[in-house]
Amino acid sequence: MLTIGIVGAGLRGRLFADALEDQTGVQVVGFAEKSPGVAADAATATGLPVVPGIDDLLTDHDPDAIIVATPDFAHRGAAVAAATAGKHLLIEKPLATNLDDAYAIADAVEAGGARCLVGFENRWNPHVVRAHDLVASGDLGSPITSSATLSNSYFVPTQMLSWAAASSPAWFLMPHTLDMLMWLTGSTPVTVSAVGSSGVLAARGIDTTDVVHALVTFADGSTANLTSAWVLPDAGEGIVDFRFSFIGTEGSIAADLSHQGLTVVSDKLRSEWPLGASIGRSKVGPPRWMVQQFAAGLLDGGEIGPGVRHGLEVTKTICAIEEAMADGSSVAVAEMTPAGAEL
Amino acid sequence: MLTIGIVGAGLRGRLFADALEDQTGVQVVGFAEKSPGVAADAATATGLPVVPGIDDLLTDHDPDAIIVATPDFAHRGAAVAAATAGKHLLIEKPLATNLDDAYAIADAVEAGGARCLVGFENRWNPHVVRAHDLVASGDLGSPITSSATLSNSYFVPTQMLSWAAASSPAWFLMPHTLDMLMWLTGSTPVTVSAVGSSGVLAARGIDTTDVVHALVTFADGSTANLTSAWVLPDAGEGIVDFRFSFIGTEGSIAADLSHQGLTVVSDKLRSEWPLGASIGRSKVGPPRWMVQQFAAGLLDGGEIGPGVRHGLEVTKTICAIEEAMADGSSVAVAEMTPAGAEL
Amino acid sequence: MLTIGIVGAGLRGRLFADALEDQTGVQVVGFAEKSPGVAADAATATGLPVVPGIDDLLTDHDPDAIIVATPDFAHRGAAVAAATAGKHLLIEKPLATNLDDAYAIADAVEAGGARCLVGFENRWNPHVVRAHDLVASGDLGSPITSSATLSNSYFVPTQMLSWAAASSPAWFLMPHTLDMLMWLTGSTPVTVSAVGSSGVLAARGIDTTDVVHALVTFADGSTANLTSAWVLPDAGEGIVDFRFSFIGTEGSIAADLSHQGLTVVSDKLRSEWPLGASIGRSKVGPPRWMVQQFAAGLLDGGEIGPGVRHGLEVTKTICAIEEAMADGSSVAVAEMTPAGAEL
Amino acid sequence: MLTIGIVGAGLRGRLFADALEDQTGVQVVGFAEKSPGVAADAATATGLPVVPGIDDLLTDHDPDAIIVATPDFAHRGAAVAAATAGKHLLIEKPLATNLDDAYAIADAVEAGGARCLVGFENRWNPHVVRAHDLVASGDLGSPITSSATLSNSYFVPTQMLSWAAASSPAWFLMPHTLDMLMWLTGSTPVTVSAVGSSGVLAARGIDTTDVVHALVTFADGSTANLTSAWVLPDAGEGIVDFRFSFIGTEGSIAADLSHQGLTVVSDKLRSEWPLGASIGRSKVGPPRWMVQQFAAGLLDGGEIGPGVRHGLEVTKTICAIEEAMADGSSVAVAEMTPAGAEL
């Protein structure tokens, strides 16, 4: 029996618990959640123990693995504690939102010696999986260039996330698209340039950027173009606009997850993502499949997905994007190292 | 441990075996397959025993359940034998392609007393599930009318199916759309009218209809419009064109499974269905989820899906469509009874 | 100088006047409009004379041509008077909503000897024109089957048309799709069957059918499937849902005019038809191009479009659809003759 | 009668002649074409005089206006000669492909005193017109950010254009999208950064870039993201991929001209642009409407469209993009001045 503790009993923590509920050989032993209200809700809804912090979770339940499902900027504490205790880890993306945290987590994971998955859930997203398999097959030749847009309507920064001002479209959304393009191309970012703007969300009291566009050159010579905005109108098709394209020397892919062939009109028109939380008795969808594979891989030693070094690379690239946006210059990803670190 | 035998080791039988491979508590004990070539392939590929017929399968392995994955018109023998032996059954759609067979199977299943699922796999198809859930929620009001198109390119009748001339667009495709509309509306067909034509496939040596259009009135007063063709050009987006719409008194749905937001160009342009056979370690997609739920439901008594009486109703409706197409008249589904049966 | 009078100063009459405004050699001499309010509006907006009826228009202005832009059911009076006076005619579709009117108009036009265009404007609709040219090129082979949906949201019967109860989805919408399929296939309807329902619009005080589905067999052996509804939700993409498909022996067409690649979100999400009323200085769009060609053809003897016998055939087919829907039987179009007519 | 001479009797020159053929008050007096083969074809097909160069055209016919429809890089000679002779000008986009030429043309036009339209035909493209009207209405608020992709399949650089190596995706395609975004936002580019790559076309013998991505900041504080590639697979939907989006503070637009709702399958699948060259008797489409408005505006003094200073601004921006792509730095558009010019 694999025992798992979950840090963060919000939307995502609860989703992971649900996904693991019926998995053979797996037991979620409890949550750590510092908000009393969220903790009480989770306890009532799941019947699982909820303790205040990671230390309680480790002390009380000594689980085999820890899932870190706290806000973007709040991964370090739980991740380092769990890693140091030798626990396997699933850490939500981004690994961290600054270089100090990211390196600290990576170092702790490597010192602790256990396994670590950074939660780039699009590796379990059917459109992305299919695109990856096509590129990997060689049928599309080698990469020339890619584009990816992943944006949200105002709902996400103004209503869904209480901590939006401590994140940004770059930190909340681009980890997904950067990871995806790194997976598709099998290459890594070398330089970035970026532009963006702020003011619209700030006027609504959320002090963060409205939109960021980034250009990326990859080690294989290919290029990419990424856009993420948090200012899509709420009257649109949904809260997520996700599309990407890939051009290879022998073929191309265009994906638009905002239009998956299911349109519903009731009070308003919306394009639905057909894949909900369950189909019959199967619990489905990218984050559920991700955590199920994490648990299965821990049980039998199989593949669990992208690790902490990859998560570190994504965080470094977004740090470079933020710097490029501020400076108007092109920034080398390799220069992104913590203050005081030896290069 | 639930043991399952599969009759038919073709495309579908093999797919079901694959889907059950890692399911806890389930064991596929072997195939029955009368074609020596297909049998040899299946034995090599799966390592499972392959016997010639249903009787051998019952005698040799005495499985708890039988999956009937033979051609459309060839369900009766295996289904009646297994039902009579008290085995649980998953029978591929359509239940049968004539009333005699359909009633014989239904009677045997009910006499045998075991459980039976007729394989209307679209009940595990994400677009259909989501549409069903929306209609069932009441948000779209009560049904006014629906339309459904499910067609194939020439590839299916001319290359994929060796027995296309013994089936038709009505028998091979409309069970899916009829079942879906019955599920969406929660109602049953009362009368049908139909037109169609043949000649194009016949000129290619496949003596069956090219296209059939059917109008259906339902018991709840709503109407539907169904189209199935086997003459789509092979240069198109794929081998399946599947779309449907539903109009309720408070809202509507439009679904187009041929455009799920993933387009690939290599040697030709094609719209891909993003959901392949597996995502990470999970075996996914409508038929896999269906057979997994069948097995899980047999293990713990849970819901397994639409039964033999529903399959019979669909077969009766298609018999009525075939008669309406031949006669040019409107035909009552209730009149569809086997020759010699008491009404 | 070609002089034109317009009967009906509503939406469509005004649109025609606008479309002809800058055409060299053409002069709109005035409107006939029986509603004093509509007449006053038109006089103010256009500066053109507005008289109460067709007789005044003929007497006062003696135009070379008359455009009949009255409601669906109210074409006979103006059309017969103008035809009898030897005037060229553009009569809006449908030619008439009953056989008596349709035959009376056709007879008057043929007795009068002038030219007549029935306003099937989709012959100037870019998607339809392109589809027609492709079929006519022979590249798609000969017709096997077609489908066409043309529906409106509640707005049209409940707000846009004051006379919706005197028309229906069959009379208001199917003339477009029937004409289109006759043009695409170059063939004519032989038999029809139909189902439909009413009750939802009736509950809103509009006593007409909600939806009609019709199956059509054509003289060339091909079939078609037509749907028109007046009960689409108003929260949808627009007031018109228009799509059609054609399958030929060598290729196929799928058209969806509701999704022409332009989506706008402001207060709500809507798919826009990109072609508005004008582009730069050109007055564009199907009805404008139609009436411009009508005038140009009268000036120089060129082609003006589908004539009164074609309009009569469409009206007969819709009469047959209405009868089929009422009877549940298949109806031969050829049997549609006015009461008392010799067959 | 307005007389017009056309320099360049290739695809575009012939198209303009065709578009003007029936326009009242307009006469195309002849072509200048230096290629004897192209000249002979044009003479045969149109019956119009074809002379070798702009000087012959001016001498022989002394037209009121000149249309410059030569390759991207070959506008200067004809444009300066015609401008100097005081002729009105329609110059194809881009105004020029280097700053020297662009300034020389702009200076000559302003010295000559006649009117000048630079052929940014998307101002007559229905999707763009509609988008512009929506933004201009204020309903979408003020601009936050935009994206535009305009790319071609290999066919364009390798087969359609004999002079592709002397142009690039930036020069051939981005004038359209830059002009469009300047028109939509009503603002002008301030800085650009860009990445791109080459090698794939070079390997096919066309020594130019394969793809360019550019980020632009505008004077109003908004940003934009532009992509143009010449390496789309030829098996795709057509030779042009054109899509754009706009996010304003109160709403958004998404346009995809590659999917205008018309799909055809014959030998291959393709998405067609429904608007062909003519509808009935009307000659339609962006370049035809543009040249018709040019002629009409010259006749009556009406608006003709974007002038030479705007064309110069677009050329400067693309020069900045080329420099940014080479340098990896952000480049100020205002710094783009001809060598030796006073700043």
Side-chain angles (χ1 to χ4, degrees), chain A residues 64-84:
Chain A
D64 302 313
I66 291 289
I67 297 174
V68 180
T70 48
D72 289 4
F73 56 86
H75 294 166
R76 182 175 178 166
V80 169
T84 303

Side-chain angles (χ1 to χ4, degrees), chain D residues 23 74 88 103 136 160-161 170 332 338:
Chain D
Q23 191 164 354
H88 304 298
Y103 272 86
M160 191 178 99
L161 302 177

Side-chain angles (χ1 to χ4, degrees), chain C residues 24 123-127 129-131 133-134 139-140 244 250-257 259-267 270 272-276 278-282 284 289 292-293 296-297 300-303, chain D residues 24 123-127 129-131 133-134 139-140 244 250-257 259-267 270 272-276 278-282 284 289 292-293 296-297 300-303:
Chain C
T24 307
R123 300 209 180 192
W124 288 266
N125 187 324
H127 288 72
V129 171
R130 199 71 174 259
D133 291 352
L134 281 158
D139 285 355
L140 308 183
F244 63 91
E250 308 294 331
S252 65
I253 298 171
D256 182 352
L257 284 81
H259 296 90
Q260 297 189 28
L262 186 60
T263 305
V264 181
V265 185
S266 52
D267 54 329
R270 54 193 200 272
E272 295 265 344
W273 293 35
L275 206 58
S278 62
I279 297 288
R281 296 169 60 136
S282 301
V284 302
W289 285 320
Q292 289 163 1
Q293 175 156 355
D300 69 8
E303 174 67 26
Chain D
T24 307
R123 300 208 180 190
W124 289 264
N125 187 324
H127 288 71
V129 170
R130 199 71 176 257
D133 292 352
L134 281 158
D139 285 356
L140 308 183
F244 63 92
E250 307 295 331
S252 66
I253 298 172
D256 183 353
L257 284 83
H259 297 91
Q260 297 187 29
L262 186 60
T263 306
V264 181
V265 185
S266 51
D267 54 331
R270 55 193 199 271
E272 295 265 344
W273 294 34
L275 206 59
S278 62
I279 297 287
R281 297 168 61 135
S282 302
V284 302
W289 285 319
Q292 289 163 3
Q293 176 158 354
D300 68 8
E303 173 67 26

Side-chain angles (χ1 to χ4, degrees), chain B residues 31 91 123 125 128 163 182 209 282-283 318 323 327:
Chain B
F31 295 98
I91 307 173
R123 301 210 179 189
N125 187 325
V128 179
W163 40 270
M182 291 169 75
T209 45
S282 301
K283 291 178 172 177
I318 296 174
E323 185 170 316
D327 287 9

Side-chain angles (χ1 to χ4, degrees), chain C residues 66 81 97 109 134 137-138 144-145 149 197 201-202 232 238 278 283 285 337:
Chain C
I66 290 289
T97 58
V109 165
L134 281 158
S137 75
I144 298 175
T145 198
T149 294
S197 62
L201 284 169
L232 295 180
S278 62
K283 291 179 173 176
T337 47

Side-chain angles (χ1 to χ4, degrees), chain A residues 127 130 260-261 273 281 300, chain B residues 127 130 260 273 281 300:
Chain A
H127 287 72
R130 198 70 175 258
Q260 297 188 29
W273 293 35
R281 297 168 60 135
D300 68 8
Chain B
H127 288 71
R130 199 70 175 259
Q260 297 188 29
W273 294 35
R281 296 167 59 136
D300 69 8

